[in-house]
Amino acid sequence: MLAHPARPLYFDGTGSTVRAIGSKTRPKHLTLHFHTSEGAAVKEQYIFKGNEDLRIDESVMQTFVRLNRVMGSRSQRGAAELSQPPAGSTLAVYNVVPTGAHGGMIQVVDSALSLFAMYSQHSAQHTSESAASVAHKRSMGDAGVPVSNHAAPPGLRQLFADHGQRILAASGLPSTLPFEKWPQVVAEQVFASLRATALPSLLHRQLMRAAPSSAHLLISTRRLVSSIGTASAAGYVVGLGDRHLDNLLVDLNTAQLVHIDFNVCYDFGGVSQIPEQVPFRMTPILAYLCGSPHPDQLANTPVAMSRGFANSFAALLQLARMDRCALVGAITARCLFSPFMEWCWIEEQRLQDKQQRIRTPTAQLPLPQCLCADAGLLANLESASAEEYIQATGLCPPQAFWSHDGMLREQSLTEAPSGWRLARGAVDRMRARLSFSGSLVGSQTEQVQLQTRALWEAATATPRLARMFAGWAPWV
């Protein structure tokens, strides 16, 4: 029997064909046949993955299921306005079945299109239209138009490299300078140059094509904005990283944002070679719909529905804080008593090479403006522990990953079991972000509203986006 979000399914067999997917681990895509307790036949698509610990994905999906239940129960009881999630703003869930510590199977999300697929389709169409325009002009006798070679549109990394090398050369820096050593001003110039090439209305155009009428477009836009707010808050709760264009899907039928691939979660985007600097993804194609935390910038996003995003985000964040004992308890049971394989590997490597694996940012990134307005808060943060810093700002300082200031207590790395130190840090950080701060003034509801705006500002801040790695494509 296979656990299903809506009903139990009983396994009957597999399809006759298997397709290998062209990614790094070569996962296999195949069809599984089931039947329900009533005898109805069910056919679903699954991906079998190896060399990955899908227990991480399973733990995140269980947290999403728990959050959906909390949202549903609060809606039925008629909670206060902020704690009342907007209609239809549930999290997308699907089956994740680990078959061990090194693999398992994941249900395929039907009728969903990745943001990368949307971007690729637009780029290919734009290249094709440009080639057709050039051919038409030459056929009309304009010999000054160069012949098009019908080249494929450049990939994200190639586009980043082209803009980066041009600006590095203009700044008098070697083109081989690693991204981690770029001056902040150069990183921001490259980001601005790339952002000028993007189409912010890309996602909205997809909704327009899928909507049969303007009324349907308005409804689907509102639902998607609400879904983005809910999904962003849920990703923030579990410290979800690696939200590049392939890991975010949009179901155009239900206007719902879908997270996939949870291998980088519990803030472990901060221990990558290029540490992630944003709490969730809010790049131009999403901000075009969701708006900006700054009211004076809304004129640049004519379709923006900022209130819908803020209400959805704040509603889920407050409900998660009210249910923090159950959420943190589940993560504690999962992480501390059975640390994930990658965490064990990271600690073992750190013991072997005796090097600090955490990479700290090359520039001190500013706090959101709404927090900087409180001078008393800034004074408290100067001497705050990592736990107090997260409670007050919602943001995770880089030192919290290998901390000695209270986030990870008592046991040293050499005394603890393999993976235990990282697991304890993940639990402590999650508990901190779901706790209310004594450094912030106002009621719990007002604290949630303030932190919603602070996180939103951090997610859209140019200094932070400019420091994201090229494959994340922060300019799209």
Side-chain angles (χ1 to χ4, degrees):
M1 185 178 76
L2 184 67
H4 191 275
R7 63 196 185 281
L9 297 177
Y10 299 87
F11 181 67
D12 289 332
T14 66
S16 57
T17 59
V18 178
R19 178 171 61 89
I21 300 175
S23 61
K24 182 173 64 175
T25 57
R26 303 289 293 176
K28 308 303 185 290
H29 180 282
L30 74 162
T31 303
L32 300 183
H33 298 274
F34 304 93
H35 69 272
T36 65
S37 54
E38 293 81 14
V42 177
K43 182 172 66 173
E44 293 188 349
Q45 307 295 318
Y46 277 81
I47 293 176
F48 283 74
K49 303 185 74 172
N51 298 323
E52 286 190 28
D53 191 351
L54 292 187
R55 294 177 300 171
I56 302 178
D57 297 62
E58 183 189 33
S59 69
V60 174
M61 193 54 58
Q62 288 173 348
T63 302
F64 283 9
V65 170
R66 172 74 189 183
L67 290 172
N68 275 341
R69 289 175 181 170
V70 172
M71 285 191 289
S73 63
R74 295 288 295 179
S75 297
Q76 292 174 1
R77 291 200 300 265
E81 182 179 354
L82 180 59
S83 298
Q84 182 84 21
S89 58
T90 56
L91 296 164
V93 295
Y94 46 88
N95 284 318
V96 178
V97 185
T99 55
H102 300 279
M105 58 183 186
I106 303 176
Q107 183 182 8
V108 175
V109 182
D110 296 327
S111 69
L113 192 65
S114 72
L115 297 183
F116 180 75
M118 296 181 189
Y119 172 81
S120 299
Q121 290 175 5
H122 166 72
S123 299
Q125 182 181 4
H126 179 72
T127 302
S128 177
E129 290 175 351
S130 299
S133 175
V134 169
H136 175 70
K137 290 180 179 179
R138 291 187 64 84
S139 68
M140 297 299 291
D142 189 352
V145 179
V147 178
S148 173
N149 58 6
H150 299 278
L156 293 172
R157 294 181 183 275
Q158 183 60 45
L159 191 64
F160 180 85
D162 293 343
H163 285 253
Q165 290 176 3
R166 175 172 56 81
I167 293 178
L168 283 171
S171 303
L173 297 172
S175 60
T176 57
L177 186 68
F179 176 69
E180 302 94 304
K181 297 182 179 180
W182 285 9
Q184 181 68 20
V185 63
V186 171
E188 293 186 18
Q189 287 176 359
V190 174
F191 173 72
S193 176
L194 288 165
R195 187 168 55 183
T197 67
L199 180 66
S201 61
L202 177 61
L203 181 53
H204 186 247
R205 292 188 179 196
Q206 291 285 343
L207 293 177
M208 292 175 65
R209 294 190 187 100
S213 67
S214 57
H216 285 83
L217 175 61
L218 179 61
I219 293 172
S220 61
T221 303
R222 286 176 174 173
R223 285 181 175 174
L224 181 57
V225 169
S226 178
S227 177
I228 293 173
T230 304
S232 298
Y236 166 72
V237 167
V238 297
L240 188 58
D242 198 29
R243 296 300 88 195
H244 57 74
L245 298 176
D246 258 332
N247 283 346
L248 285 175
L249 314 182
V250 176
D251 189 333
L252 297 175
N253 293 333
T254 62
Q256 193 173 32
L257 188 73
V258 183
H259 284 298
I260 64 171
D261 192 354
F262 306 113
N263 198 43
V264 180
C265 60
Y266 305 119
D267 300 311
F268 276 83
V271 297
S272 57
Q273 182 175 357
I274 302 175
E276 296 192 11
Q277 306 293 335
V278 294
F280 51 86
R281 187 180 187 98
M282 185 51 64
T283 51
I285 61 172
L286 299 177
Y288 186 85
L289 297 175
C290 299
S292 166
H294 304 286
D296 57 337
Q297 296 180 0
L298 291 180
N300 299 326
T301 51
V303 188
M305 297 183 178
S306 56
R307 183 176 298 178
F309 175 86
N311 288 348
S312 298
F313 191 100
L316 183 60
L317 182 57
Q318 183 162 358
L319 290 176
R321 289 184 170 186
M322 297 171 69
D323 194 49
R324 62 181 176 275
C325 292
L327 291 172
V328 175
I331 297 300
T332 301
R334 167 68 71 173
C335 296
L336 288 183
F337 296 105
S338 181
F340 303 122
M341 293 300 297
E342 187 172 355
W343 298 6
C344 299
W345 178 83
I346 290 175
E347 286 197 357
E348 290 171 359
Q349 287 294 111
R350 185 165 180 259
L351 282 173
Q352 291 174 7
D353 57 26
K354 304 295 184 183
Q355 294 179 359
Q356 184 77 4
R357 293 184 58 83
I358 178 70
R359 276 80 167 181
T360 57
T362 56
Q364 185 66 33
L365 299 176
L367 284 173
Q369 295 178 12
C370 59
L371 296 178
C372 293
D374 188 343
L377 173 63
L378 296 179
N380 292 335
L381 290 180
E382 292 180 358
S383 58
S385 66
E387 188 169 6
E388 294 168 338
Y389 187 96
I390 294 174
Q391 289 176 0
T393 67
L395 302 171
C396 186
Q399 65 270 21
F401 297 102
W402 308 99
S403 170
H404 302 284
D405 62 357
M407 287 298 291
L408 306 168
R409 304 173 179 88
E410 292 98 27
Q411 290 181 285
S412 67
L413 179 60
T414 55
E415 296 170 344
S418 180
W420 184 92
R421 183 182 174 91
L422 294 182
R424 181 60 184 268
V427 171
D428 286 347
R429 289 191 299 272
M430 186 174 185
R431 181 185 294 111
R433 66 162 51 92
L434 292 181
S435 301
F436 293 99
S437 173
S439 301
L440 295 177
V441 298
S443 64
Q444 293 182 355
T445 298
E446 291 170 337
Q447 284 193 24
V448 169
Q449 292 173 328
L450 177 62
Q451 285 200 341
T452 296
R453 183 177 175 184
L455 293 168
W456 197 0
E457 285 190 33
T460 57
T462 295
R464 293 178 179 272
L465 289 173
R467 281 295 170 186
M468 296 298 293
F469 64 95
W472 204 82
W475 63 90
V476 178

